[in-house]
Coordinates of all heavy atoms in Angstrom, one line a residue:
M1 N -189.4 131.5 -104.2 CA -188.9 130.7 -103.1 C -190.0 129.9 -102.5 O -191.1 130.3 -102.1 CB -188.3 131.7 -102.1 CG -187.4 131.1 -101.1 SD -187.1 132.3 -99.8 CE -185.6 131.8 -99.1
S2 N -189.6 128.6 -102.3 CA -190.6 127.7 -101.7 C -190.7 127.9 -100.3 O -189.8 128.4 -99.6 CB -190.3 126.2 -102.1 OG -189.0 126.0 -101.5
I3 N -191.9 127.6 -99.7 CA -192.1 127.7 -98.3 C -191.4 126.6 -97.6 O -191.7 125.4 -97.9 CB -193.6 127.8 -97.9 CG1 -194.2 129.0 -98.6 CG2 -193.8 127.8 -96.4 CD1 -195.7 129.2 -98.4
Q4 N -190.5 127.0 -96.7 CA -189.8 125.9 -95.8 C -190.1 126.2 -94.4 O -190.5 127.3 -94.1 CB -188.3 125.9 -96.1 CG -187.8 127.3 -96.3 CD -186.4 127.4 -97.0 OE1 -185.9 126.4 -97.4 NE2 -185.9 128.6 -97.0
S5 N -189.9 125.2 -93.6 CA -190.3 125.4 -92.2 C -189.0 125.8 -91.4 O -187.9 125.6 -91.8 CB -191.0 124.2 -91.6 OG -190.0 123.1 -91.8
E6 N -189.4 126.4 -90.2 CA -188.3 126.6 -89.3 C -187.7 125.4 -88.7 O -188.5 124.5 -88.3 CB -188.9 127.6 -88.2 CG -187.9 127.9 -87.2 CD -188.5 129.0 -86.3 OE1 -188.7 130.1 -86.8 OE2 -188.7 128.8 -85.1
I7 N -186.4 125.3 -88.5 CA -185.9 124.1 -87.9 C -184.9 124.5 -86.8 O -184.3 125.5 -86.9 CB -185.1 123.2 -88.8 CG1 -184.1 124.0 -89.7 CG2 -186.1 122.5 -89.8 CD1 -183.2 123.0 -90.5
K8 N -184.9 123.7 -85.8 CA -183.9 123.9 -84.7 C -182.5 123.4 -85.1 O -182.5 122.2 -85.7 CB -184.5 123.2 -83.4 CG -183.7 123.6 -82.2 CD -184.4 123.0 -81.0 CE -183.5 123.3 -79.8 NZ -184.2 122.7 -78.5
I9 N -181.5 124.1 -85.0 CA -180.1 123.6 -85.3 C -179.2 123.7 -84.1 O -179.5 124.3 -83.1 CB -179.6 124.3 -86.4 CG1 -179.4 125.9 -86.2 CG2 -180.4 124.1 -87.7 CD1 -178.7 126.6 -87.2
N10 N -178.1 122.9 -84.2 CA -177.1 123.1 -83.1 C -176.0 123.9 -83.5 O -175.9 124.3 -84.7 CB -176.7 121.7 -82.6 CG -176.0 120.9 -83.7 OD1 -175.4 121.3 -84.5 ND2 -176.4 119.5 -83.6
Q11 N -175.0 124.1 -82.6 CA -173.9 125.1 -83.0 C -173.0 124.5 -84.0 O -172.4 125.2 -84.8 CB -173.1 125.4 -81.7 CG -174.0 126.1 -80.7 CD -173.2 127.1 -79.8 OE1 -172.3 127.7 -80.3 NE2 -173.6 127.3 -78.6
F12 N -173.0 123.2 -84.0 CA -172.2 122.5 -85.1 C -172.8 122.7 -86.5 O -172.1 123.1 -87.5 CB -172.0 121.0 -84.9 CG -171.4 120.3 -85.9 CD1 -170.0 120.4 -86.0 CD2 -172.0 119.4 -86.7 CE1 -169.3 119.6 -87.1 CE2 -171.4 118.7 -87.7 CZ -170.0 118.8 -87.9
Q13 N -174.1 122.6 -86.5 CA -174.8 122.8 -87.8 C -174.8 124.3 -88.2 O -174.6 124.6 -89.4 CB -176.3 122.4 -87.6 CG -176.4 120.9 -87.6 CD -177.7 120.4 -87.0 OE1 -178.3 121.1 -86.2 NE2 -178.0 119.2 -87.3
L14 N -174.8 125.2 -87.2 CA -174.7 126.6 -87.5 C -173.3 126.9 -88.2 O -173.2 127.6 -89.2 CB -174.8 127.4 -86.2 CG -174.5 128.9 -86.5 CD1 -175.7 129.5 -87.3 CD2 -174.4 129.7 -85.2
A15 N -172.3 126.3 -87.6 CA -170.9 126.4 -88.1 C -170.8 126.1 -89.6 O -170.0 126.6 -90.3 CB -169.9 125.7 -87.3
L16 N -171.6 125.0 -89.9 CA -171.5 124.6 -91.4 C -172.2 125.6 -92.3 O -171.7 125.7 -93.4 CB -172.3 123.3 -91.5 CG -171.8 122.1 -90.8 CD1 -172.8 120.8 -91.0 CD2 -170.4 121.7 -91.4
L17 N -173.1 126.4 -91.8 CA -173.7 127.3 -92.6 C -173.0 128.6 -92.8 O -173.0 129.2 -93.9 CB -175.2 127.7 -92.0 CG -176.2 126.7 -92.1 CD1 -177.4 127.2 -91.3 CD2 -176.6 126.4 -93.5
L18 N -172.2 129.0 -91.8 CA -171.5 130.3 -91.8 C -170.2 130.3 -92.4 O -169.4 129.3 -92.1 CB -171.5 130.9 -90.5 CG -172.9 131.0 -89.7 CD1 -172.6 131.6 -88.3 CD2 -173.8 131.9 -90.5
D19 N -169.8 131.2 -93.2 CA -168.4 131.3 -93.7 C -167.6 132.1 -92.6 O -168.2 132.5 -91.6 CB -168.2 131.9 -95.1 CG -168.7 133.4 -95.1 OD1 -168.7 134.0 -94.1 OD2 -169.2 133.8 -96.2
E20 N -166.3 132.2 -92.8 CA -165.4 132.7 -91.7 C -165.9 134.1 -91.3 O -165.9 134.4 -90.1 CB -164.1 132.8 -92.2 CG -163.4 131.3 -92.3 CD -163.6 130.6 -91.0 OE1 -163.3 131.2 -89.9 OE2 -164.1 129.4 -91.1
S21 N -166.2 135.0 -92.2 CA -166.6 136.4 -91.9 C -167.9 136.4 -91.1 O -168.1 137.2 -90.2 CB -166.6 137.3 -93.0 OG -167.7 137.0 -93.9
D22 N -168.8 135.6 -91.5 CA -170.1 135.5 -90.8 C -169.9 134.9 -89.4 O -170.5 135.4 -88.4 CB -171.0 134.4 -91.4 CG -171.5 134.9 -92.8 OD1 -171.5 136.2 -93.0 OD2 -171.9 134.1 -93.6
K23 N -168.9 134.0 -89.3 CA -168.7 133.5 -87.9 C -168.1 134.5 -87.0 O -168.5 134.7 -85.8 CB -167.7 132.3 -88.0 CG -168.3 131.0 -88.4 CD -167.3 129.9 -88.4 CE -167.9 128.7 -89.2 NZ -166.8 127.8 -89.7
D24 N -167.2 135.4 -87.5 CA -166.7 136.4 -86.8 C -167.8 137.4 -86.3 O -167.8 137.8 -85.2 CB -165.6 137.3 -87.6 CG -164.3 136.4 -87.6 OD1 -164.2 135.4 -86.8 OD2 -163.5 136.8 -88.4
F25 N -168.6 137.8 -87.3 CA -169.7 138.7 -87.0 C -170.6 138.1 -86.0 O -171.0 138.8 -85.1 CB -170.4 138.9 -88.4 CG -171.7 139.7 -88.2 CD1 -171.7 141.0 -87.9 CD2 -173.0 139.0 -88.4 CE1 -173.0 141.7 -87.7 CE2 -174.1 139.7 -88.3 CZ -174.2 141.0 -87.8
F26 N -170.9 136.9 -86.2 CA -171.8 136.2 -85.3 C -171.3 136.2 -83.8 O -172.0 136.6 -82.9 CB -172.1 134.7 -85.7 CG -173.1 134.0 -84.9 CD1 -174.4 134.1 -85.1 CD2 -172.7 133.1 -83.9 CE1 -175.4 133.5 -84.4 CE2 -173.6 132.4 -83.2 CZ -175.0 132.6 -83.4
K27 N -170.1 135.8 -83.7 CA -169.4 135.7 -82.3 C -169.4 137.1 -81.7 O -169.6 137.2 -80.5 CB -167.9 135.3 -82.5 CG -167.8 133.8 -82.3 CD -166.2 133.5 -82.1 CE -165.9 132.1 -82.6 NZ -164.5 131.9 -83.0
C28 N -169.0 138.1 -82.5 CA -168.8 139.4 -82.0 C -170.2 139.9 -81.5 O -170.3 140.6 -80.6 CB -168.3 140.3 -83.2 SG -167.7 141.8 -82.7
S29 N -171.3 139.6 -82.3 CA -172.6 140.1 -82.0 C -173.1 139.4 -80.7 O -173.7 140.1 -79.8 CB -173.6 139.7 -83.1 OG -173.2 140.4 -84.3
I30 N -172.8 138.1 -80.6 CA -173.2 137.4 -79.4 C -172.5 138.0 -78.1 O -173.0 138.1 -77.1 CB -172.8 135.9 -79.5 CG1 -173.8 135.3 -80.6 CG2 -173.0 135.2 -78.2 CD1 -175.2 135.2 -80.3
A31 N -171.3 138.3 -78.3 CA -170.4 138.8 -77.2 C -170.8 140.3 -76.8 O -170.7 140.6 -75.7 CB -169.0 138.7 -77.5
H32 N -171.2 141.1 -77.8 CA -171.2 142.6 -77.6 C -172.5 143.2 -78.0 O -172.7 144.4 -77.8 CB -170.1 143.2 -78.3 CG -168.7 142.7 -77.9 ND1 -168.2 142.8 -76.6 CD2 -167.8 142.1 -78.7 CE1 -167.0 142.3 -76.6 NE2 -166.8 141.8 -77.8
N33 N -173.3 142.5 -78.7 CA -174.4 143.3 -79.4 C -175.8 142.6 -79.4 O -176.5 142.6 -80.3 CB -174.0 143.5 -80.8 CG -174.7 144.7 -81.4 OD1 -175.4 145.5 -80.7 ND2 -174.7 144.8 -82.7
V34 N -176.1 142.0 -78.2 CA -177.4 141.5 -78.0 C -178.2 142.3 -76.9 O -177.5 142.5 -75.8 CB -177.4 140.0 -77.6 CG1 -178.8 139.5 -77.4 CG2 -176.7 139.2 -78.7
Y35 N -179.3 142.9 -77.2 CA -180.0 143.7 -76.3 C -180.7 142.9 -75.2 O -181.4 142.0 -75.5 CB -180.9 144.6 -77.0 CG -181.5 145.8 -76.1 CD1 -180.7 146.9 -75.8 CD2 -182.7 145.6 -75.5 CE1 -181.2 147.8 -75.0 CE2 -183.3 146.6 -74.7 CZ -182.5 147.7 -74.4 OH -183.0 148.6 -73.6
C36 N -180.5 143.3 -73.9 CA -181.2 142.6 -72.8 C -182.3 143.6 -72.3 O -181.9 144.7 -71.9 CB -180.2 142.3 -71.8 SG -181.0 141.5 -70.3
L37 N -183.4 143.1 -72.4 CA -184.6 144.0 -71.9 C -184.5 144.3 -70.4 O -184.8 145.3 -69.9 CB -185.9 143.3 -72.2 CG -186.4 143.3 -73.7 CD1 -187.6 142.5 -73.8 CD2 -186.6 144.7 -74.1
N38 N -184.0 143.3 -69.7 CA -183.9 143.4 -68.2 C -182.9 144.4 -67.8 O -183.0 145.3 -66.9 CB -183.7 142.0 -67.6 CG -183.8 142.1 -66.1 OD1 -184.8 142.6 -65.6 ND2 -182.7 141.7 -65.4
C39 N -181.7 144.3 -68.5 CA -180.5 145.2 -68.2 C -180.9 146.6 -68.8 O -180.2 147.6 -68.5 CB -179.3 144.7 -68.8 SG -178.6 143.2 -67.9
R40 N -181.8 146.7 -69.8 CA -182.0 147.8 -70.6 C -180.8 148.4 -71.2 O -180.6 149.5 -71.3 CB -182.7 148.9 -69.7 CG -184.0 148.5 -69.2 CD -184.7 149.6 -68.5 NE -186.0 149.1 -67.9 CZ -187.0 149.9 -67.8 NH1 -187.0 151.2 -68.0 NH2 -188.2 149.4 -67.3
D41 N -180.0 147.4 -71.7 CA -178.8 147.7 -72.3 C -178.3 146.5 -73.1 O -178.9 145.5 -73.0 CB -177.8 148.0 -71.2 CG -176.5 148.9 -71.7 OD1 -176.4 148.9 -73.0 OD2 -175.7 149.3 -71.0
V42 N -177.3 146.6 -73.8 CA -176.7 145.4 -74.4 C -176.2 144.4 -73.3 O -175.7 145.0 -72.3 CB -175.6 145.7 -75.5 CG1 -176.1 146.4 -76.6 CG2 -174.4 146.4 -74.9
A43 N -176.3 143.2 -73.5 CA -175.8 142.2 -72.5 C -174.2 142.4 -72.6 O -173.5 141.8 -73.5 CB -176.2 140.9 -72.9
K44 N -173.7 143.1 -71.6 CA -172.3 143.5 -71.7 C -171.3 142.4 -71.6 O -170.2 142.4 -72.1 CB -172.0 144.6 -70.6 CG -172.6 145.9 -71.0 CD -171.9 147.0 -70.1 CE -172.5 148.4 -70.3 NZ -173.7 148.6 -69.4
N45 N -171.7 141.3 -70.8 CA -170.8 140.2 -70.7 C -171.1 139.1 -71.7 O -170.6 138.0 -71.6 CB -171.0 139.6 -69.3 CG -170.4 140.5 -68.2 OD1 -169.9 141.6 -68.6 ND2 -170.4 140.1 -67.0
G46 N -172.0 139.5 -72.7 CA -172.4 138.5 -73.7 C -173.5 137.6 -73.2 O -174.1 137.8 -72.1
I47 N -173.9 136.6 -74.0 CA -175.0 135.7 -73.7 C -174.5 134.3 -73.8 O -173.5 133.9 -74.5 CB -176.2 135.9 -74.5 CG1 -175.9 135.5 -76.0 CG2 -176.7 137.4 -74.4 CD1 -177.1 135.4 -76.9
D48 N -175.2 133.4 -73.0 CA -175.1 132.0 -73.2 C -176.2 131.5 -74.2 O -177.4 131.8 -74.0 CB -175.3 131.2 -71.9 CG -174.1 131.3 -71.0 OD1 -173.0 131.3 -71.5 OD2 -174.3 131.6 -69.8
I49 N -175.8 130.9 -75.2 CA -176.8 130.4 -76.3 C -177.6 129.3 -75.7 O -176.9 128.3 -75.3 CB -176.1 130.1 -77.6 CG1 -175.5 131.4 -78.2 CG2 -177.1 129.5 -78.6 CD1 -174.6 131.2 -79.4
T50 N -178.9 129.3 -75.8 CA -179.6 128.1 -75.4 C -180.2 127.4 -76.5 O -180.3 126.1 -76.6 CB -180.8 128.4 -74.4 OG1 -181.5 129.5 -74.9 CG2 -180.1 128.9 -73.1
E51 N -180.7 128.1 -77.5 CA -181.3 127.4 -78.8 C -180.9 128.3 -79.9 O -180.9 129.5 -79.9 CB -182.8 127.4 -78.5 CG -183.3 126.3 -77.6 CD -184.7 126.3 -77.3 OE1 -185.4 127.4 -77.5 OE2 -185.2 125.3 -76.9
L52 N -180.8 127.6 -81.1 CA -180.6 128.2 -82.4 C -181.7 127.7 -83.3 O -182.0 126.5 -83.4 CB -179.2 127.8 -82.9 CG -178.0 128.3 -82.2 CD1 -176.8 127.5 -82.6 CD2 -177.8 129.8 -82.5
Y53 N -182.2 128.6 -84.2 CA -183.2 128.2 -85.2 C -182.7 128.8 -86.6 O -182.3 129.9 -86.6 CB -184.5 128.7 -84.9 CG -185.1 128.1 -83.6 CD1 -185.0 128.7 -82.4 CD2 -185.9 126.9 -83.8 CE1 -185.5 128.1 -81.2 CE2 -186.4 126.4 -82.6 CZ -186.2 126.9 -81.4 OH -186.7 126.4 -80.2
L54 N -182.9 127.9 -87.5 CA -182.8 128.4 -88.9 C -184.3 128.6 -89.3 O -185.1 127.8 -89.4 CB -182.2 127.3 -89.9 CG -182.0 127.6 -91.3 CD1 -181.2 128.8 -91.5 CD2 -181.5 126.4 -92.1
T55 N -184.6 129.9 -89.5 CA -186.0 130.3 -89.8 C -186.4 130.0 -91.2 O -185.7 129.7 -92.1 CB -186.3 131.8 -89.5 OG1 -185.7 132.5 -90.6 CG2 -185.7 132.2 -88.2
E56 N -187.7 130.1 -91.4 CA -188.3 129.8 -92.8 C -187.7 130.7 -93.8 O -187.6 130.5 -95.0 CB -189.8 129.9 -92.7 CG -190.2 131.3 -92.3 CD -191.8 131.4 -92.2 OE1 -192.5 130.9 -93.1 OE2 -192.3 131.9 -91.2
F57 N -187.2 131.9 -93.4 CA -186.6 132.9 -94.3 C -185.0 132.7 -94.4 O -184.4 133.7 -94.9 CB -186.9 134.3 -94.0 CG -188.4 134.5 -94.0 CD1 -189.0 134.8 -92.7 CD2 -189.2 134.5 -95.1 CE1 -190.5 135.0 -92.7 CE2 -190.5 134.5 -95.0 CZ -191.2 134.9 -93.8
N58 N -184.5 131.7 -93.8 CA -183.1 131.5 -93.7 C -182.3 132.5 -92.8 O -181.2 132.8 -93.1 CB -182.5 131.3 -95.1 CG -182.4 130.0 -95.6 OD1 -182.8 129.0 -94.9 ND2 -182.0 129.8 -96.8
D59 N -183.0 133.0 -91.9 CA -182.3 133.9 -90.9 C -181.9 132.9 -89.8 O -182.5 131.8 -89.7 CB -183.2 135.0 -90.4 CG -183.5 136.0 -91.5 OD1 -182.6 136.2 -92.4 OD2 -184.6 136.6 -91.5
I60 N -181.1 133.3 -88.9 CA -180.7 132.6 -87.8 C -181.3 133.4 -86.6 O -181.0 134.5 -86.3 CB -179.2 132.5 -87.6 CG1 -178.5 131.9 -88.8 CG2 -178.8 131.6 -86.3 CD1 -178.8 130.4 -89.0
R61 N -182.1 132.6 -85.8 CA -182.6 133.2 -84.5 C -181.9 132.6 -83.4 O -182.0 131.3 -83.2 CB -184.1 133.1 -84.4 CG -184.7 134.1 -83.4 CD -186.2 134.1 -83.5 NE -186.7 132.9 -82.9 CZ -187.5 132.0 -83.5 NH1 -187.8 132.2 -84.8 NH2 -187.9 130.9 -83.0
V62 N -181.4 133.3 -82.5 CA -180.7 132.9 -81.3 C -181.5 133.2 -80.1 O -181.9 134.2 -79.9 CB -179.2 133.6 -81.2 CG1 -178.6 133.1 -80.1 CG2 -178.4 133.4 -82.4
H63 N -181.6 132.1 -79.3 CA -182.3 132.3 -78.0 C -181.1 132.0 -77.0 O -180.3 131.2 -77.1 CB -183.4 131.3 -77.7 CG -184.5 131.4 -78.6 ND1 -185.8 131.1 -78.2 CD2 -184.6 131.9 -79.9 CE1 -186.6 131.3 -79.2 NE2 -185.9 131.8 -80.2
G64 N -181.1 132.9 -75.9 CA -180.0 132.7 -74.9 C -180.4 133.4 -73.7 O -181.5 133.9 -73.4
R65 N -179.3 133.5 -72.8 CA -179.6 134.2 -71.5 C -178.4 135.1 -71.4 O -177.2 134.9 -71.6 CB -179.5 133.1 -70.4 CG -180.7 132.2 -70.4 CD -180.8 131.4 -69.1 NE -182.0 130.7 -69.1 CZ -183.2 131.1 -68.7 NH1 -183.3 132.4 -68.2 NH2 -184.3 130.5 -68.8
C66 N -178.8 136.3 -70.8 CA -177.8 137.3 -70.5 C -176.9 136.8 -69.4 O -177.4 136.4 -68.4 CB -178.6 138.6 -70.1 SG -177.6 139.9 -69.4
K67 N -175.6 136.9 -69.6 CA -174.6 136.5 -68.6 C -174.7 137.3 -67.4 O -174.2 137.0 -66.4 CB -173.3 136.4 -69.1 CG -173.1 135.2 -70.1 CD -171.6 135.1 -70.5 CE -171.5 133.9 -71.5 NZ -170.1 133.8 -71.9
I68 N -175.2 138.5 -67.4 CA -175.3 139.3 -66.2 C -176.5 139.0 -65.3 O -176.4 138.7 -64.1 CB -175.2 140.8 -66.5 CG1 -173.9 141.2 -67.2 CG2 -175.6 141.7 -65.3 CD1 -173.9 142.7 -67.7
C69 N -177.7 139.0 -65.9 CA -178.9 138.8 -65.1 C -179.6 137.5 -65.4 O -180.6 137.3 -64.7 CB -179.9 140.1 -65.4 SG -180.5 139.9 -67.1
N70 N -179.1 136.7 -66.3 CA -179.7 135.4 -66.6 C -181.1 135.5 -67.2 O -181.8 134.5 -67.2 CB -179.7 134.5 -65.3 CG -179.6 133.1 -65.8 OD1 -178.9 132.7 -66.7 ND2 -180.2 132.3 -64.9
C71 N -181.5 136.7 -67.7 CA -182.8 136.8 -68.3 C -182.7 136.3 -69.8 O -181.6 136.4 -70.4 CB -183.3 138.2 -68.3 SG -184.0 138.6 -66.7
E72 N -183.9 135.9 -70.3 CA -183.9 135.4 -71.7 C -183.7 136.5 -72.7 O -184.2 137.6 -72.5 CB -185.2 134.7 -72.0 CG -185.2 133.3 -71.6 CD -186.5 132.6 -72.0 OE1 -186.9 132.8 -73.1 OE2 -187.1 131.9 -71.1
V73 N -182.8 136.4 -73.6 CA -182.6 137.3 -74.7 C -182.8 136.6 -76.1 O -182.7 135.3 -76.1 CB -181.2 138.0 -74.6 CG1 -181.1 138.9 -73.4 CG2 -180.1 136.9 -74.6
R74 N -183.1 137.4 -77.1 CA -183.2 136.8 -78.4 C -182.5 137.8 -79.4 O -182.5 139.0 -79.2 CB -184.7 136.7 -78.8 CG -185.4 135.6 -78.2 CD -186.8 135.6 -78.8 NE -187.5 134.5 -78.1 CZ -188.6 134.0 -78.5 NH1 -189.2 134.6 -79.6 NH2 -189.2 133.1 -77.9
R75 N -182.0 137.2 -80.4 CA -181.5 138.1 -81.5 C -181.7 137.3 -82.9 O -181.4 136.2 -82.9 CB -180.1 138.4 -81.2 CG -179.3 138.8 -82.3 CD -178.7 140.2 -82.4 NE -178.4 140.6 -83.6 CZ -177.5 141.5 -84.0 NH1 -176.8 142.1 -83.0 NH2 -177.3 141.8 -85.2
L76 N -182.1 138.1 -83.8 CA -182.2 137.6 -85.1 C -181.1 138.0 -86.0 O -180.8 139.2 -86.0 CB -183.6 138.0 -85.7 CG -184.0 137.5 -87.0 CD1 -184.4 136.0 -86.9 CD2 -185.1 138.2 -87.7
F77 N -180.5 137.1 -86.7 CA -179.5 137.4 -87.7 C -180.0 137.3 -89.0 O -180.4 136.1 -89.4 CB -178.2 136.5 -87.5 CG -177.5 136.8 -86.2 CD1 -177.9 136.2 -85.0 CD2 -176.4 137.7 -86.2 CE1 -177.1 136.4 -83.8 CE2 -175.7 138.0 -85.0 CZ -176.1 137.3 -83.8
E78 N -180.0 138.3 -89.8 CA -180.7 138.3 -91.1 C -179.7 137.9 -92.1 O -178.9 138.8 -92.7 CB -181.4 139.5 -91.4 CG -182.6 139.7 -90.4 CD -183.3 141.0 -90.6 OE1 -182.8 141.9 -91.5 OE2 -184.3 141.2 -90.0
F79 N -179.6 136.6 -92.4 CA -178.7 136.1 -93.5 C -179.5 135.8 -94.7 O -178.9 135.6 -95.8 CB -178.0 134.9 -93.0 CG -176.9 135.1 -91.9 CD1 -177.1 134.4 -90.7 CD2 -175.9 136.0 -92.1 CE1 -176.1 134.7 -89.7 CE2 -175.0 136.2 -91.2 CZ -175.0 135.5 -89.9
G80 N -180.8 135.6 -94.6 CA -181.5 135.0 -95.7 C -181.7 135.8 -96.9 O -181.7 135.2 -98.0
E81 N -181.6 137.1 -96.8 CA -181.9 137.9 -98.0 C -180.9 137.8 -99.1 O -181.3 137.9 -100.3 CB -182.0 139.4 -97.6 CG -183.3 139.8 -97.0 CD -183.4 141.2 -96.5 OE1 -182.6 142.0 -97.0 OE2 -184.2 141.5 -95.6
E82 N -179.7 137.5 -98.8 CA -178.7 137.5 -99.8 C -178.5 136.1 -100.4 O -177.6 135.9 -101.2 CB -177.4 138.0 -99.2 CG -177.5 139.3 -98.5 CD -176.4 139.5 -97.5 OE1 -175.2 139.2 -97.8 OE2 -176.6 139.8 -96.4
D83 N -179.3 135.2 -100.0 CA -179.1 133.8 -100.5 C -177.7 133.4 -100.1 O -177.0 132.7 -100.9 CB -179.4 133.7 -102.0 CG -179.7 132.2 -102.3 OD1 -180.0 131.4 -101.4 OD2 -179.7 131.9 -103.4
K84 N -177.4 133.7 -99.0 CA -176.0 133.6 -98.5 C -175.4 132.2 -98.4 O -174.3 131.9 -98.6 CB -175.9 134.3 -97.2 CG -174.6 134.9 -96.9 CD -174.6 135.8 -95.8 CE -173.1 136.0 -95.4 NZ -172.4 137.1 -96.0
F85 N -176.3 131.3 -98.0 CA -175.8 130.0 -97.7 C -175.6 129.0 -98.9 O -175.1 127.8 -98.7 CB -176.9 129.3 -96.7 CG -177.0 130.0 -95.5 CD1 -178.3 130.1 -94.9 CD2 -176.0 130.7 -94.8 CE1 -178.4 130.8 -93.6 CE2 -176.1 131.4 -93.7 CZ -177.4 131.4 -93.1
N86 N -175.8 129.5 -100.0 CA -175.4 128.8 -101.3 C -176.0 127.3 -101.3 O -175.3 126.4 -101.5 CB -174.0 128.7 -101.6 CG -173.4 130.1 -101.8 OD1 -174.1 130.9 -102.5 ND2 -172.3 130.5 -101.1
N87 N -177.2 127.2 -100.8 CA -177.9 125.9 -100.7 C -177.4 125.0 -99.6 O -177.9 123.9 -99.5 CB -177.8 125.1 -102.2 CG -178.6 125.8 -103.1 OD1 -179.7 126.4 -102.9 ND2 -178.2 125.7 -104.4
K88 N -176.4 125.6 -98.9 CA -176.0 124.7 -97.7 C -177.1 124.5 -96.7 O -177.3 123.4 -96.1 CB -174.9 125.4 -97.0 CG -173.5 125.2 -97.7 CD -172.3 125.8 -96.8 CE -172.3 127.2 -96.9 NZ -171.1 127.9 -96.3
D89 N -178.0 125.5 -96.7 CA -179.2 125.4 -95.7 C -180.1 124.2 -96.2 O -180.7 123.5 -95.4 CB -180.0 126.7 -95.7 CG -180.5 127.0 -97.0 OD1 -179.7 127.4 -97.9 OD2 -181.7 127.0 -97.2
K90 N -180.2 124.1 -97.6 CA -181.1 123.0 -98.1 C -180.6 121.6 -97.7 O -181.3 120.7 -97.3 CB -181.3 123.1 -99.6 CG -182.0 124.4 -100.0 CD -182.6 124.4 -101.4 CE -183.3 125.7 -101.7 NZ -182.4 126.8 -102.0
K91 N -179.3 121.5 -97.9 CA -178.7 120.2 -97.5 C -178.9 119.9 -96.0 O -179.3 118.8 -95.6 CB -177.1 120.3 -97.7 CG -176.7 119.9 -99.1 CD -175.2 119.8 -99.1 CE -174.7 119.6 -100.6 NZ -173.3 119.9 -100.7
L92 N -178.7 120.9 -95.2 CA -178.9 120.8 -93.8 C -180.3 120.4 -93.5 O -180.6 119.5 -92.7 CB -178.5 122.1 -93.1 CG -178.7 122.1 -91.6 CD1 -177.7 121.2 -90.9 CD2 -178.4 123.5 -91.0
R93 N -181.3 121.1 -94.1 CA -182.7 120.8 -93.9 C -183.0 119.3 -94.2 O -183.7 118.6 -93.5 CB -183.6 121.7 -94.7 CG -183.7 123.1 -94.2 CD -184.4 124.0 -95.1 NE -184.3 125.4 -94.8 CZ -184.9 126.0 -93.9 NH1 -185.8 125.4 -93.2 NH2 -184.7 127.3 -93.6
K94 N -182.4 119.0 -95.4 CA -182.7 117.5 -95.8 C -182.1 116.6 -94.7 O -182.8 115.6 -94.4 CB -182.0 117.3 -97.2 CG -183.0 117.4 -98.3 CD -182.4 116.9 -99.6 CE -183.2 117.2 -100.7 NZ -182.5 117.2 -102.0
S95 N -180.9 116.8 -94.3 CA -180.2 115.9 -93.4 C -181.0 115.8 -92.1 O -181.1 114.8 -91.5 CB -178.8 116.2 -93.2 OG -178.7 117.4 -92.4
I96 N -181.5 116.9 -91.7 CA -182.2 117.0 -90.5 C -183.6 116.2 -90.6 O -184.0 115.4 -89.7 CB -182.4 118.4 -89.9 CG1 -181.1 118.9 -89.4 CG2 -183.5 118.4 -88.8 CD1 -181.1 120.3 -89.0
Q97 N -184.3 116.4 -91.7 CA -185.5 115.8 -91.9 C -185.4 114.3 -92.1 O -186.3 113.6 -91.7 CB -186.3 116.4 -93.1 CG -187.0 117.7 -92.8 CD -187.2 118.5 -94.1 OE1 -187.0 118.1 -95.1 NE2 -187.8 119.8 -93.8
A98 N -184.3 113.9 -92.6 CA -184.0 112.4 -92.9 C -183.7 111.8 -91.5 O -183.9 110.6 -91.5 CB -182.9 112.3 -93.9
S99 N -183.1 112.5 -90.6 CA -182.7 111.8 -89.4 C -183.8 111.6 -88.4 O -184.9 112.1 -88.5 CB -181.6 112.6 -88.7 OG -182.2 113.8 -88.3
Ligands
ZN101 ZN1 -179.4 141.3 -68.6

């Protein structure tokens, strides 16, 4: 696997990468399964997403804020290992680099 850099993506670009079951999983995780260090619990009301990154390993890293306490939270979604994106990530990287 060649070394690629981490890129910032928006929610529209994320939606292009994920298939339907991934989207469900992603939504569900954002709503119920992001740990907030400040609350010392999962962010029960979910989080507001502030930034999204496609990492060099093709994982998705989400930065956001806990809707209860407004503290920063992060969560890594490991999609990269299964080569899940079927080269969709490569197209996206190209289009972003070209713009
Ligand atoms: Zn919190």
